[in-house]
Amino acid sequence: MNAPPQKALIFDVDGTLADTEQEGHRIAFERAFADAGLDWRWDPVTYRGLLAVAGGKERIAHYARTLGHPVDADFVARLHASKTRHYTSLLGGGEIGLRPGIERLLREGRDAGRRLAIATTTTPANVDALLRSTLGDDGPGWFEVVGAADSVAHKKPSPDVYTWVLEQMALAPDDVVAFEDSDNGVRAALGAGIERLVVTVTADTEDHELAGAPLVLDCLGEPDRPARVLRGAGPAQGFVDLGFLDAWR
Ligand code: XBP
Ligand code: MG
């Protein structure tokens, strides 16, 4: 007998819904640094390393400490607010789209009455901007619950944001499938007891260990663009859909 249909699909944002880090967040950080008169350079390789620190404010504070720069909470908050303005403005240009298979699976889930949620480290403003720029003005309304930056005290890899989303939805870990892209995200989802976890890596996370992740793909795939299976038993039809997820033990 097939496993019962998954009641909800919970998506990470950055790297999962869209490949936002290098051409989105990183550019926004650099523009905020320039506005602040800081000669800080976050080139792609530097930024890839900094992604180990989840949270933009935490990433700024970490980098400042490595430079011996005084870390003042107000300075960090103002710099991060500037970065968020740059990021949401950049998204408004529509240059960053959803990753392969994401819109297809979201629409399939909606049409089948599955509950959709988000569990992310980024800010609600960034989530809203991404969903509007990719799904239209009603995009944010597709998601019943959004667990974001300050929903919980501890960001990923802490499981707190996933636990909070499950609590808000009155669901158990076994009722959901989660979608992630990175070590921090995998540790957060598994730490919350979610075992059905689909990882779609990006160029920034393809070398991550992703310990414990049962299924690792290069993307969710499309009928005309099969997903590449990097770990686990991938979908026979080449793309992840509800049928594959509901049959997943
Ligand atoms: C990835 C993150 C975020 C972004 C930057 O979030 O760690 O911090 O890199 O966004 P996700 P902020 O959990 O969606 O992968 O500057 O808003 O933190
Ligand atoms: Mg992510």
Side-chain angles (χ1 to χ4, degrees), residues 12-16 156 180-182:
D12 164 57
V13 174
D14 296 304
T16 300
K156 300 174 187 175
E180 270 288 354
D181 73 300
S182 69

Side-chain angles (χ1 to χ4, degrees), residues 44-214:
V45 173
T46 300
Y47 188 64
R48 181 168 303 158
L50 287 168
L51 281 172
V53 180
K57 284 188 284 213
E58 293 78 359
R59 202 166 298 147
I60 290 169
H62 164 79
Y63 183 74
R65 276 192 292 273
T66 66
L67 298 179
H69 191 294
V71 178
D72 164 77
D74 183 52
F75 160 79
V76 170
R78 280 186 286 108
L79 190 56
H80 189 250
S82 167
K83 174 265 174 181
T84 300
R85 284 192 294 276
H86 280 294
Y87 180 72
T88 52
S89 164
L90 193 152
L91 284 183
E95 281 113 51
I96 297 182
L98 296 175
R99 295 193 65 192
I102 289 288
E103 183 165 351
R104 172 183 53 74
L105 184 61
L106 288 173
R107 290 190 182 282
E108 185 185 5
R110 265 164 64 84
D111 294 347
R114 300 300 167 86
R115 301 163 74 183
L116 303 179
I118 279 174
T120 180
T121 306
T122 195
T123 59
N126 290 347
V127 176
D128 200 70
L130 179 70
L131 296 179
R132 288 180 189 282
S133 67
T134 55
L135 297 172
D137 283 345
D138 70 331
W142 292 25
F143 298 84
E144 178 181 330
V145 171
V146 175
D150 298 326
S151 301
V152 291
H154 304 291
K155 293 184 170 70
K156 300 174 187 175
S158 160
D160 291 4
V161 69
Y162 277 102
T163 302
W164 183 85
V165 169
L166 289 169
E167 282 167 1
Q168 297 298 310
M169 301 180 84
L171 290 176
D174 207 33
D175 291 328
V176 309
V177 182
F179 300 81
E180 270 288 354
D181 73 300
S182 69
D183 270 339
N184 280 341
V186 166
R187 286 162 56 194
L190 294 180
I194 298 172
E195 293 181 0
R196 289 187 183 82
L197 172 61
V198 180
V199 180
T200 51
V201 294
T202 68
D204 291 318
T205 64
E206 61 189 5
D207 63 345
H208 282 198
E209 188 184 347
L210 308 169

